[in-house]
């Protein structure tokens, strides 16, 4: 199916913007000791691939990510630390590029990708996507060689008290390249129109909803429908991770609803323990293990077990799909 781009009059794309971001990353790697050390460390990270047929799960041993994976995100811990995303608390070495009036583009000094960005709001407000989805899509358009991602406040965000997105260069997460093949083999196309396609992703260990359109307005409409169905507790965001990208005039938005923040192994000690806190990158197909022993204990069975624990279970997901279709038919 070929989707058409209906355009969005609010979008003003600067073709040089991504180049400015790339230049900033290069300067930071030269001038900021912490960043240089951690980006050079990517040359030593260990990776292994697990082939599940029509999709792949990578496992990466990346010790610099222990800061994020082990982050304490309970209310008491957050109250007792300075917010590391607020402009006043950024390291003196940290450069930034403004995106509009509200956001800053920053290098992430604890990278998963060779180009890894953190994109916080300038103001200190809690992590919540419902009124910020259009911002995410605009960022995806401004950074077409990146995949944008959002970690919910209980789904991998190490700063749930400060609204932010992240971005990584396309192609590192297997899902970037596998999406079309997955839709063809395991995806269920729920809605197919000239300006919008809605699909259910199943059979890849983690259930997800994919939306594709050339219209931000269409994506917002369906995202809000999904959000309303998922919302169970008033005032509390549903558990979810969101990936977004832009190519050839079309946005792709993938939402992974969750059942749990962290697998049981995260809280266990000894041989059964596993320092793994799945977030958007993990759902994109790269499991991050900051401890070497966890990297070597990873297996297909363990990967299946982890995703079964943290992903929305199939019964709930099937009901979610049914509810979405009922809303569309009204």
């Amino acid at each position: 199916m070929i989707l058409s781009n209906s355009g969005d009059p609010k979008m003003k794309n600067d073709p040089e913007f991504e180049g400015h971001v790339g230049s900033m990353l290069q300067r930071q790697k030269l001038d900021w000791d912490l960043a240089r050390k951690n980006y050079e460390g990517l040359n030593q990270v260990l990776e292994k691939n697990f082939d599940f047929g029509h999709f792949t799960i990578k496992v990466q041993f990346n010790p610099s990510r222990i800061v994020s994976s082990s982050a304490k995100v309970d209310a008491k811990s957050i109250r007792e630390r300075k917010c590391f995303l607020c402009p006043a608390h950024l390291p003196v070495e940290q450069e930034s590029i403004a995106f509009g009036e509200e956001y800053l583009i920053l290098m992430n000094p604890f990278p998963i990708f060779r180009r890894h960005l953190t994109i916080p709001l300038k103001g200190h407000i809690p992590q919540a996507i419902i009124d910020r989805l259009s911002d995410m899509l605009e960022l995806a358009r401004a950074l077409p060689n990146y995949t944008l991602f959002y970690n919910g406040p209980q789904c991998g965000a190490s700063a749930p008290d400060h609204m932010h997105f992240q971005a990584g260069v396309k192609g590192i997460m297997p899902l970037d390249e596998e999406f079309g093949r997955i839709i063809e083999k395991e995806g269920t196309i729920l809605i197919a129109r000239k300006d919008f396609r809605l699909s259910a992703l199943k059979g890849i260990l983690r259930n997800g909803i994919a939306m594709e359109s050339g219209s931000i307005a269409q994506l917002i409409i369906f995202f809000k429908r999904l959000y309303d169905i998922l919302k169970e507790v008033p005032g509390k965001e549903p558990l979810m991770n969101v990936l977004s990208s832009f190519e050839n005039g079309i946005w792709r938005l993938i939402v992974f609803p969750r059942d749990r923040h962290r697998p049981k192994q995260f809280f266990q000690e000894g041989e059964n323990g596993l320092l793994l806190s799945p977030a958007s990158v993990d759902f994109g197909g790269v499991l991050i293990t900051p401890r070497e022993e966890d990297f070597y204990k990873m297996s297909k069975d363990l990967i299946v077990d982890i995703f079964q624990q943290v992903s929305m279970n199939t019964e709930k997901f099937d009901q979610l799909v049914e509810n979405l279709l009922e809303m569309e038919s009204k």
Side-chain angles (χ1 to χ4, degrees), residues 311-329:
S311 301
M312 176 174 278
N313 69 58
T314 299
E315 183 179 354
K316 283 185 182 179
F317 185 75
D318 289 344
Q319 184 62 54
L320 169 64
V321 169
E322 184 177 329
N323 290 342
L324 278 172
L325 292 176
E326 285 181 2
M327 292 182 74
E328 172 66 4
S329 65

Side-chain angles (χ1 to χ4, degrees), residues 12-23 97-100 103-105 117 119 138-139 141-144:
K12 295 181 180 179
N13 191 34
D14 177 1
E16 298 182 358
F17 182 78
E18 192 173 270
H20 297 322
V21 171
S23 296
I97 295 176
F99 183 80
Y103 290 89
L104 295 175
I105 309 285
L117 307 174
I119 308 170
E138 289 179 4
L139 281 159
R141 185 175 189 231
L143 298 165

